[in-house]
């Protein structure tokens, strides 16, 4: 299920200089924006919801998911080094699960934790808004990591595909088009935030039972298919 050596190599790749800069820049931007807003306008629940929902959950979390999910395996596939990794006596599903765990951990640390901090800065967790959005960011991190890890195994343009999904589907269509919202990780995670937050503070277009089922189903399906594609990739490389 978890291979320490694979995890260590994945962490090293994800936290390299260029990726680490982006991973730190987005949360830092969120916190700076939150501090400025709090200083200028004071504590306000509606403002907190707008910032945490509009920037943190809708933009920052999927972008960090793209960096962590695709970066967990994409570069190794691009330069061919994944073949050397897979030549070791490590099961393919163990490789994928280990990389997924690492991607989830990185995404949660760089998205859910800053979201919680920003929420406390904005309104001191009034109506449980900070905790609600942090929890939403955490569960969204799991699904995004699985989706973008899958993209990393099926295409060499995983970052581009991930950015299109994150910025066009999640941030644009998922926020503006009613029908697309039910197929949005953002809306699924908002269902949990709605449950945690005070009544009427946060809203979602998807009920919590359906949202949890979709989050679990998408994560499981993406992980399974990524393992399957990795086995196919190994055979192709050995041939």
């Amino acid at each position: 299920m978890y291979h320490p050596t694979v995890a260590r190599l994945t962490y090293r790749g994800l936290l390299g200089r260029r990726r680490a800069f982006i991973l730190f820049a987005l949360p830092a931007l969120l916190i700076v924006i939150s501090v400025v807003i709090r200083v200028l306008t004071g504590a306000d629940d509606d403002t907190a919801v707008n910032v945490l929902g509009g920037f943190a959950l809708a933009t920052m979390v999927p972008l960090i998911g793209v960096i962590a999910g695709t970066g967990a395996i994409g570069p190794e596939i691009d330069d061919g080094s994944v073949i050397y990794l897979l030549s070791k006596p490590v099961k393919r599903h163990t490789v994928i699960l280990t990389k997924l765990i690492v991607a989830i951990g990185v995404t949660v640390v760089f998205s859910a934790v800053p979201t919680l901090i920003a929420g406390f800065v904005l309104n001191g967790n009034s109506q449980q808004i900070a905790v609600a959005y942090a929890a939403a960011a955490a569960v969204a991190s799991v699904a995004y990591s699985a989706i973008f890890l899958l993209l990393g195994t099926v295409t060499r343009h995983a970052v581009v595909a991930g950015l299109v999904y994150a910025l066009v589907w999640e941030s644009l269509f998922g926020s503006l088009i009613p029908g697309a919202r039910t197929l949005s990780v953002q809306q699924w995670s908002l269902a949990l935030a709605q449950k945690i937050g005070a009544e009427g503070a946060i809203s979602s277009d998807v009920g919590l039972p359906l949202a949890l089922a979709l989050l679990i189903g998408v994560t499981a399906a993406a992980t399974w298919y990524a393992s399957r594609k990795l086995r196919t990739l190994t055979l192709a490389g050995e041939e």
Side-chain angles (χ1 to χ4, degrees), residues 1-236:
M1 293 289 291
Y2 182 83
H3 196 281
T5 301
V6 174
R8 185 172 65 253
L9 294 173
T10 305
Y11 275 118
R12 186 180 301 172
L14 281 178
L15 300 178
R17 186 172 301 174
R18 287 185 298 177
R19 287 192 181 87
F21 173 78
I22 300 174
L23 288 172
F24 279 102
L26 288 171
L29 178 61
L30 171 64
I31 294 173
V32 168
I33 290 173
S34 301
V35 170
V36 171
I37 290 174
R38 178 63 184 266
V39 170
L40 294 178
T41 66
D44 181 77
D45 294 346
D46 290 337
T47 300
V49 169
N50 290 333
V51 173
L52 298 180
F55 178 72
L57 192 61
T59 302
M60 185 187 73
V61 178
L63 286 179
I64 291 177
V66 170
I67 297 168
T70 61
I73 196 168
E76 293 175 316
I77 293 178
D78 290 341
D79 62 19
S81 61
V82 70
I83 301 301
Y84 297 99
L85 172 63
L86 297 178
S87 66
K88 305 300 181 181
V90 182
K91 294 180 179 180
R92 305 303 178 251
H93 70 270
T94 299
V95 172
I96 288 295
L97 286 175
T98 300
K99 289 182 174 294
L100 176 61
I101 291 170
V102 171
I104 290 172
V106 169
T107 307
V108 168
V109 168
F110 286 96
S111 61
V113 174
T115 298
L116 181 64
I117 295 172
F120 273 95
V121 170
L122 286 165
N123 75 340
N125 195 37
S126 173
Q127 299 192 75
Q128 291 291 305
I129 288 174
V131 172
Y133 274 103
V139 297
S141 296
V142 177
Y144 283 134
S145 296
I147 291 170
F148 297 132
L149 180 65
L150 171 61
L151 285 179
T153 65
V154 300
T155 176
R156 291 182 178 273
H157 305 289
V159 174
V160 175
L163 289 174
V164 170
Y165 175 86
L167 297 177
V168 177
W169 182 262
E170 289 285 347
S171 297
L172 184 59
F173 291 164
S175 299
L176 300 178
I177 301 176
R181 293 174 184 171
T182 56
L183 299 177
S184 167
V185 174
Q186 177 188 344
Q187 290 296 323
W188 303 343
S189 60
L190 275 174
L192 178 61
Q194 182 180 22
K195 180 68 175 180
I196 295 173
E199 185 175 355
I202 303 169
S203 62
S204 172
D205 291 339
V206 184
L208 183 58
L210 176 60
L212 292 177
L214 289 170
L215 283 167
I216 294 171
V218 166
T219 301
T223 305
W224 171 82
Y225 194 65
S227 299
R228 185 172 180 272
K229 290 297 294 183
L230 195 62
R231 286 194 294 269
T232 304
L233 175 68
T234 306
L235 293 174

